[in-house]
Amino acid sequence: LVSSNSAYLDFLVNWEFLAKDKHGMKYGIVAMDIPLYEHLGAERSILSDKIQTHFESEFFSKGFADISCNKLAVVMNLMTKCDVDIVFSDVDNIFVEDPFQHDLGRLIK
C-alpha cells in the first residue's frame, strides 16, 4: 500500500514504475487529496476519508504530523475492515530489488 497527494504525483509515478514495471508487485494507492483521486480514478485508488492534504509538509511540522497520523488511520482501517496484512510504503521510498525476495518477504509470507 502506498499513499500520496497531488503534490507528490511525480514521486508516485516513479514509485509505480519501480514497483509494478520493474518488480511486478501488486499494490494499492491511498489518495490523500481529491485532485489525486480524480486523476487516478476509483479503479486505481481509494480516497482517504480523513484529513485531505494538498501540499508538501516540512518534517516535524503540524501538517507533517497530520499526514502521518492520517496514513496510519487509513492503514489500520483497511487492516481491520478487510482482515489483511499490509506493507506500507511512502512514495519517496524506492525498491532497488523486490523486497519480498529478501528478509521482509520471509517474515510476512
Side-chain angles (χ1 to χ4, degrees), residues 7-109:
Y8 288 94
L9 180 59
D10 290 342
F11 283 87
L12 178 61
V13 169
N14 185 57
W15 189 94
E16 285 188 289
F17 168 77
L18 292 170
K20 183 175 84 179
D21 296 342
K22 187 168 182 185
H23 301 303
M25 296 169 60
K26 295 179 183 177
Y27 58 89
I29 301 170
V30 177
M32 303 296 278
D33 64 11
I34 292 171
L36 181 63
Y37 181 74
E38 289 175 347
H39 175 78
L40 296 172
E43 63 281 347
R44 293 190 57 213
S45 66
I46 59 171
L47 179 62
S48 170
D49 60 350
K50 304 288 181 196
I51 300 164
Q52 299 290 307
T53 57
H54 312 285
F55 49 85
E56 298 178 18
S57 293
E58 289 188 35
F59 192 61
F60 283 124
S61 69
K62 180 175 180 344
F64 184 84
D66 289 343
I67 291 169
S68 298
C69 290
N70 192 16
K71 290 176 189 179
L72 291 174
V74 169
V75 169
M76 289 301 297
N77 188 30
L78 286 171
M79 289 174 63
T80 303
K81 289 185 177 180
C82 300
D83 192 28
V84 295
D85 295 324
I86 293 176
V87 175
F88 183 82
S89 177
D90 281 322
V91 294
D92 57 352
N93 295 323
I94 61 166
F95 303 107
V96 176
E97 296 180 33
D98 181 348
F100 299 102
Q101 299 302 315
H102 300 284
D103 291 340
L104 175 64
R106 286 190 287 278
L107 291 172
I108 63 173
K109 286 188 177 179

